[in-house]
Amino acid sequence: MKNKALLALMACAVVAGALFAGTVPGHAAGMSVGVSTWYWKWNISPEDGRSFDPGLMYGPILGFDWGKNWSLTSVFLTGTYRHEEGPAGENWYGYPRRYDSDTTLNYSVLKWLKVFGGFKYMRYDAKAGADGATTGIFEETNMRHYSYGPGLGIGLTLPVADSLYLLGNFSVMYLSGNETFDGLGDYNKEITETGFNSTISLAYYAASFATTFALGVRCQYFVTEYDNPYLKYMGKSKTDHSTFYGITFSAVYHFSLGSGE
Protein backbone atom coordinates (compact mmCIF):
# COMPACT_ATOMS: atom_id res chain seq x y z
CA MET A 1 0.00 0.00 0.00
CA LYS A 2 2.81 2.39 0.90
CA ASN A 3 4.64 1.65 -2.35
CA LYS A 4 1.47 2.35 -4.37
CA ALA A 5 0.98 5.68 -2.60
CA LEU A 6 4.63 6.54 -3.21
CA LEU A 7 4.41 5.77 -6.92
CA ALA A 8 1.16 7.75 -7.24
CA LEU A 9 2.73 10.81 -5.60
CA MET A 10 5.79 10.68 -7.86
CA ALA A 11 3.60 10.24 -10.95
CA CYS A 12 1.51 13.29 -10.00
CA ALA A 13 4.67 15.37 -9.60
CA VAL A 14 5.95 14.34 -13.04
CA VAL A 15 2.59 15.04 -14.73
CA ALA A 16 2.27 18.43 -13.04
CA GLY A 17 5.80 19.35 -14.12
CA ALA A 18 5.06 18.41 -17.71
CA LEU A 19 1.86 20.45 -17.77
CA PHE A 20 3.50 23.56 -16.34
CA ALA A 21 6.55 23.21 -18.56
CA GLY A 22 4.35 23.33 -21.64
CA THR A 23 3.24 26.86 -20.76
CA VAL A 24 6.75 28.33 -20.46
CA PRO A 25 7.97 30.58 -23.30
CA GLY A 26 11.30 30.01 -25.04
CA HIS A 27 14.33 31.20 -23.08
CA ALA A 28 18.09 30.64 -23.15
CA ALA A 29 19.07 27.33 -21.57
CA GLY A 30 22.06 26.91 -19.30
CA MET A 31 24.00 24.30 -17.44
CA SER A 32 25.78 24.18 -14.07
CA VAL A 33 28.58 21.92 -12.84
CA GLY A 34 30.29 22.01 -9.50
CA VAL A 35 31.32 20.33 -6.26
CA SER A 36 29.75 20.24 -2.82
CA THR A 37 31.01 19.23 0.64
CA TRP A 38 29.32 18.68 3.98
CA TYR A 39 31.23 18.28 7.26
CA TRP A 40 28.67 16.74 9.59
CA LYS A 41 28.01 15.24 13.02
CA TRP A 42 25.50 12.40 13.46
CA ASN A 43 23.39 12.08 16.61
CA ILE A 44 21.10 9.06 16.89
CA SER A 45 18.45 8.25 19.51
CA PRO A 46 18.16 5.86 21.22
CA GLU A 47 21.96 5.83 21.21
CA ASP A 48 22.29 2.17 22.29
CA GLY A 49 26.09 2.33 22.04
CA ARG A 50 25.98 4.14 18.69
CA SER A 51 27.94 7.39 18.71
CA PHE A 52 29.96 8.59 15.76
CA ASP A 53 32.94 10.79 14.95
CA PRO A 54 32.26 13.75 12.60
CA GLY A 55 32.50 12.88 8.92
CA LEU A 56 33.05 14.59 5.58
CA MET A 57 30.84 14.03 2.53
CA TYR A 58 31.68 15.29 -0.93
CA GLY A 59 30.48 14.96 -4.49
CA PRO A 60 29.32 16.59 -7.73
CA ILE A 61 26.53 19.03 -8.56
CA LEU A 62 24.87 19.04 -11.97
CA GLY A 63 22.15 21.44 -13.10
CA PHE A 64 20.16 22.37 -16.18
CA ASP A 65 17.92 25.45 -16.50
CA TRP A 66 15.49 26.48 -19.21
CA GLY A 67 12.32 28.45 -19.86
CA LYS A 68 13.24 31.34 -17.55
CA ASN A 69 11.67 29.79 -14.43
CA TRP A 70 12.60 26.11 -14.63
CA SER A 71 15.66 24.14 -13.58
CA LEU A 72 16.67 20.57 -12.82
CA THR A 73 19.36 20.00 -10.17
CA SER A 74 21.12 16.88 -8.92
CA VAL A 75 23.48 16.71 -5.92
CA PHE A 76 25.30 13.51 -4.95
CA LEU A 77 27.33 13.24 -1.73
CA THR A 78 29.30 10.34 -0.24
CA GLY A 79 31.77 9.84 2.58
CA THR A 80 32.84 7.51 5.39
CA TYR A 81 32.34 7.66 9.16
CA ARG A 82 33.24 5.59 12.23
CA HIS A 83 32.19 5.01 15.82
CA GLU A 84 33.63 7.25 18.50
CA GLU A 85 36.17 5.58 20.77
CA GLY A 86 34.85 4.17 24.03
CA PRO A 87 35.27 1.22 26.38
CA ALA A 88 36.93 -1.83 24.82
CA GLY A 89 34.51 -4.20 23.13
CA GLU A 90 31.83 -1.55 22.56
CA ASN A 91 33.11 -0.16 19.27
CA TRP A 92 33.39 -1.25 15.72
CA TYR A 93 36.44 0.32 14.10
CA GLY A 94 35.50 -0.05 10.45
CA TYR A 95 34.67 2.90 8.20
CA PRO A 96 31.15 2.46 6.73
CA ARG A 97 30.12 4.65 3.79
CA ARG A 98 27.12 6.93 3.56
CA TYR A 99 25.39 8.25 0.40
CA ASP A 100 22.95 11.17 0.14
CA SER A 101 21.46 12.12 -3.24
CA ASP A 102 18.83 14.70 -4.26
CA THR A 103 17.44 15.30 -7.75
CA THR A 104 14.86 18.10 -7.93
CA LEU A 105 12.71 19.92 -10.46
CA ASN A 106 12.61 23.60 -9.46
CA TYR A 107 10.14 26.33 -10.42
CA SER A 108 10.72 30.03 -9.61
CA VAL A 109 7.39 31.46 -8.46
CA LEU A 110 8.99 34.86 -7.80
CA LYS A 111 12.50 36.22 -8.21
CA TRP A 112 13.23 35.37 -4.58
CA LEU A 113 10.99 32.28 -4.11
CA LYS A 114 11.11 28.82 -5.68
CA VAL A 115 9.26 25.57 -5.06
CA PHE A 116 10.68 22.16 -5.88
CA GLY A 117 9.94 18.47 -5.82
CA GLY A 118 11.94 15.42 -6.70
CA PHE A 119 13.61 12.17 -5.76
CA LYS A 120 15.80 11.48 -2.71
CA TYR A 121 18.07 8.48 -2.08
CA MET A 122 19.91 7.67 1.17
CA ARG A 123 22.16 4.67 1.83
CA TYR A 124 24.70 3.20 4.25
CA ASP A 125 27.08 0.35 3.30
CA ALA A 126 29.28 -1.43 5.83
CA LYS A 127 31.66 -4.37 6.17
CA ALA A 128 30.36 -5.76 9.45
CA GLY A 129 33.15 -7.00 11.70
CA ALA A 130 35.96 -5.72 9.47
CA ASP A 131 37.95 -3.58 11.94
CA GLY A 132 39.97 -0.82 10.31
CA ALA A 133 38.50 -1.44 6.84
CA THR A 134 37.35 1.52 4.76
CA THR A 135 34.32 0.98 2.53
CA GLY A 136 34.97 2.15 -1.03
CA ILE A 137 32.42 3.88 -3.26
CA PHE A 138 29.80 1.34 -4.38
CA GLU A 139 31.95 -1.46 -2.99
CA GLU A 140 30.22 -4.78 -2.25
CA THR A 141 29.45 -5.11 1.49
CA ASN A 142 27.60 -7.47 3.82
CA MET A 143 25.40 -4.81 5.41
CA ARG A 144 23.21 -2.37 3.46
CA HIS A 145 20.68 0.21 4.60
CA TYR A 146 18.95 2.15 1.83
CA SER A 147 15.76 4.14 1.24
CA TYR A 148 14.35 6.31 -1.55
CA GLY A 149 11.26 8.34 -2.35
CA PRO A 150 9.82 11.80 -3.02
CA GLY A 151 10.64 15.14 -1.45
CA LEU A 152 8.99 18.57 -1.60
CA GLY A 153 10.31 21.96 -0.56
CA ILE A 154 10.71 25.72 -0.91
CA GLY A 155 13.76 27.93 -1.43
CA LEU A 156 14.47 31.61 -0.73
CA THR A 157 17.09 33.88 -2.32
CA LEU A 158 17.51 37.27 -0.60
CA PRO A 159 20.03 39.93 -1.79
CA VAL A 160 22.47 41.12 0.88
CA ALA A 161 24.89 43.24 -1.19
CA ASP A 162 26.31 43.33 -4.71
CA SER A 163 26.79 39.69 -5.80
CA LEU A 164 26.14 38.46 -2.23
CA TYR A 165 22.97 36.54 -1.36
CA LEU A 166 21.37 34.76 1.57
CA LEU A 167 19.97 31.37 0.54
CA GLY A 168 17.54 29.21 2.46
CA ASN A 169 16.05 25.84 1.54
CA PHE A 170 13.61 23.64 3.43
CA SER A 171 12.22 20.32 2.28
CA VAL A 172 10.37 17.27 3.61
CA MET A 173 10.80 13.65 2.54
CA TYR A 174 9.01 10.30 2.67
CA LEU A 175 11.25 7.32 1.91
CA SER A 176 10.96 3.54 2.03
CA GLY A 177 13.55 0.79 1.65
CA ASN A 178 15.36 -2.05 3.41
CA GLU A 179 18.14 -2.88 5.82
CA THR A 180 19.82 -6.22 5.09
CA PHE A 181 22.61 -8.33 6.60
CA ASP A 182 24.06 -11.15 4.51
CA GLY A 183 23.58 -14.51 6.23
CA LEU A 184 21.46 -13.03 9.06
CA GLY A 185 17.90 -13.12 7.79
CA ASP A 186 16.39 -12.40 11.23
CA TYR A 187 18.03 -8.96 11.12
CA ASN A 188 16.68 -7.96 7.70
CA LYS A 189 14.04 -5.23 7.92
CA GLU A 190 11.75 -3.13 5.78
CA ILE A 191 12.16 0.54 6.69
CA THR A 192 10.29 3.83 6.34
CA GLU A 193 12.10 7.16 6.80
CA THR A 194 10.36 10.53 7.13
CA GLY A 195 11.87 13.88 7.97
CA PHE A 196 13.23 17.18 6.68
CA ASN A 197 16.32 18.94 5.30
CA SER A 198 17.16 22.57 6.02
CA THR A 199 20.07 24.66 4.68
CA ILE A 200 21.02 28.31 5.21
CA SER A 201 24.03 29.76 3.41
CA LEU A 202 25.72 32.89 2.11
CA ALA A 203 26.45 32.78 -1.63
CA TYR A 204 28.80 34.98 -3.61
CA TYR A 205 28.64 35.14 -7.40
CA ALA A 206 32.05 35.78 -8.98
CA ALA A 207 31.05 37.19 -12.37
CA SER A 208 34.57 37.00 -13.84
CA PHE A 209 34.55 33.21 -13.28
CA ALA A 210 30.78 32.70 -13.76
CA THR A 211 30.97 30.74 -10.50
CA THR A 212 28.90 30.83 -7.32
CA PHE A 213 30.59 30.04 -3.99
CA ALA A 214 28.34 29.19 -1.04
CA LEU A 215 29.17 28.61 2.64
CA GLY A 216 26.50 27.65 5.16
CA VAL A 217 25.01 25.20 7.61
CA ARG A 218 22.78 22.19 6.97
CA CYS A 219 20.54 20.16 9.27
CA GLN A 220 18.91 16.87 8.26
CA TYR A 221 16.48 15.10 10.61
CA PHE A 222 14.54 11.92 9.98
CA VAL A 223 12.78 9.11 11.81
CA THR A 224 13.51 5.51 10.77
CA GLU A 225 10.79 2.96 11.45
CA TYR A 226 11.75 -0.74 11.23
CA ASP A 227 9.27 -3.48 10.35
CA ASN A 228 10.68 -6.74 11.75
CA PRO A 229 9.06 -9.25 14.21
CA TYR A 230 12.51 -10.13 15.59
CA LEU A 231 12.95 -6.63 17.07
CA LYS A 232 9.68 -6.91 18.98
CA TYR A 233 10.62 -10.40 20.21
CA MET A 234 13.98 -9.10 21.52
CA GLY A 235 12.38 -6.03 23.10
CA LYS A 236 14.44 -3.63 20.99
CA SER A 237 13.38 -0.25 19.64
CA LYS A 238 11.60 -0.25 16.27
CA THR A 239 12.28 3.48 15.75
CA ASP A 240 15.47 5.56 15.41
CA HIS A 241 15.72 9.36 15.40
CA SER A 242 18.72 10.67 13.40
CA THR A 243 20.03 14.24 13.24
CA PHE A 244 22.87 15.23 10.90
CA TYR A 245 24.17 18.81 11.19
CA GLY A 246 27.26 20.68 10.06
CA ILE A 247 28.98 23.05 7.64
CA THR A 248 28.47 23.03 3.87
CA PHE A 249 30.56 24.52 1.07
CA SER A 250 29.98 24.46 -2.68
CA ALA A 251 31.39 25.96 -5.86
CA VAL A 252 29.23 25.90 -9.01
CA TYR A 253 30.19 27.07 -12.51
CA HIS A 254 27.37 28.14 -14.86
CA PHE A 255 27.46 28.45 -18.64
CA SER A 256 24.94 29.09 -21.42
CA LEU A 257 23.87 26.43 -23.92
CA GLY A 258 22.71 28.96 -26.50
CA SER A 259 20.24 31.77 -27.04
CA GLY A 260 16.49 31.41 -26.58
CA GLU A 261 13.94 31.43 -29.34
Side-chain angles (χ1 to χ4, degrees), residues 2-3 5-6 9-10 98-103 118-124 145-152 171-178 190-197 218 220-226:
K2 289 181 179 179
N3 287 336
L6 175 63
L9 181 58
M10 294 180 69
R98 183 181 184 228
Y99 304 89
D100 189 281
S101 174
D102 295 277
T103 300
F119 180 81
K120 183 167 187 67
Y121 180 76
M122 295 195 301
R123 175 173 165 178
Y124 310 84
H145 175 122
Y146 65 90
S147 61
Y148 53 87
L152 296 170
S171 62
V172 294
M173 58 185 177
Y174 177 85
L175 316 179
S176 60
N178 289 274
E190 292 185 358
I191 60 176
T192 301
E193 296 184 306
T194 55
F196 67 85
N197 288 276
R218 179 184 180 187
Q220 182 183 78
Y221 170 82
F222 56 91
V223 178
T224 303
E225 297 183 23
Y226 300 94

Side-chain angles (χ1 to χ4, degrees), residues 3 8-9 13 15 29 38 57 73 92 94 104 114 118 124 150-151 155 184-185 187 212 242 255:
N3 287 336
L9 181 58
V15 171
W38 182 19
M57 299 183 73
T73 305
W92 168 32
T104 59
K114 71 176 181 180
Y124 310 84
L184 297 172
Y187 289 87
T212 300
S242 292
F255 56 93

